[in-house]
Amino acid sequence: MTNDTALTALPLAPGQWALDPFHSSVNFTVRHLGIAKVRGRFERLEAGLLVGERLEDVRVSATVDLASIDTGNADRDAHVRASDLLDVEKRPTMTYRSTRVSGEGEDWAMEGELTIGDVTRPVSFAVEFGGLVDVPMDGSRHAGFEATGEIRRSDFGLDFAPGLLGDVIKIQLDMQFVEPKAAA
């Protein structure tokens, strides 16, 4: 009996890949009043990609500083950070830990656990592998990914402003990771 995930060729060298924060972002969209979308991003993110010899050994982790929210409106951002909404004093970060990665070629899926405050829920992302490139300036090798998924605010106890803000938040991650030096 064979394990198909063990047979999938990994396109990345094993090791701890570092986030390229200058070419990575966490973006989101939420409906306002049910008629329009508000888009935003989080400015501060830490993430890591651990690639093992087998697909089942791949792990992704990320921590987002919720106070770094940017919707393009400073007054709105301050209100979202406040105790009656997101309450970043009580919930300073959002963390994600993958539990399973599957796929091949350009199309992948990542399952994991998202924690906001003291609530953890399973969240899955569709992941598009953008490819690998050697950066001419320093010779480092970068891998690019886009991950998309959605969460429900109410699943995380963030059910403030019903009717004003939609429950579903669509998430888009654009990430670049740098290959470990020993593997380059």
Side-chain angles (χ1 to χ4, degrees):
M1 183 175 202
T2 62
N3 181 341
D4 289 339
T5 58
L7 300 175
T8 301
L10 295 176
L12 306 176
Q16 182 68 50
W17 288 63
L19 180 72
D20 176 350
F22 301 110
H23 300 101
S24 298
S25 63
V26 176
N27 307 292
F28 65 88
T29 305
V30 63
R31 287 239 177 233
H32 180 254
L33 299 175
I35 60 172
K37 294 179 180 177
V38 172
R39 299 175 191 282
R41 62 180 284 146
F42 292 96
E43 298 291 331
R44 291 188 295 277
L45 160 74
E46 294 177 8
L49 169 62
L50 177 62
V51 177
E53 294 292 334
R54 303 172 311 148
L55 187 55
E56 11 335 284
D57 300 327
V58 173
R59 296 289 180 262
V60 177
S61 62
T63 300
V64 174
D65 178 351
L66 294 178
S68 71
I69 191 169
D70 179 5
T71 64
N73 182 302
D75 291 337
R76 178 175 49 213
D77 296 344
H79 186 223
V80 171
R81 289 183 195 105
S83 62
D84 62 326
L85 295 181
L86 192 53
D87 194 357
V88 297
E89 292 295 322
K90 182 178 170 185
R91 299 178 194 96
T93 61
M94 171 172 55
T95 60
Y96 184 81
R97 303 277 181 260
S98 69
T99 56
R100 183 172 186 263
V101 174
S102 60
E104 61 183 304
E106 293 179 4
D107 299 315
W108 296 79
M110 180 172 57
E111 299 170 26
E113 296 180 335
L114 181 70
T115 301
I116 302 174
D118 59 358
V119 179
T120 301
R121 297 282 185 258
V123 173
S124 297
F125 289 95
V127 179
E128 178 185 330
F129 175 52
L132 291 165
V133 67
D134 293 325
V135 177
M137 285 86 61
D138 63 7
S140 64
R141 177 169 261 196
H142 288 226
F145 303 89
E146 177 185 14
T148 56
E150 59 183 46
I151 63 170
R152 294 192 172 280
R153 293 185 309 118
S154 56
D155 288 347
F156 294 90
L158 302 173
D159 47 4
F160 50 79
L164 295 177
L165 291 178
D167 190 35
V168 174
I169 299 176
K170 295 184 179 184
I171 300 170
Q172 178 186 359
L173 308 167
D174 292 302
M175 311 293 274
Q176 276 192 41
F177 289 95
V178 181
E179 187 175 59
K181 296 264 187 224

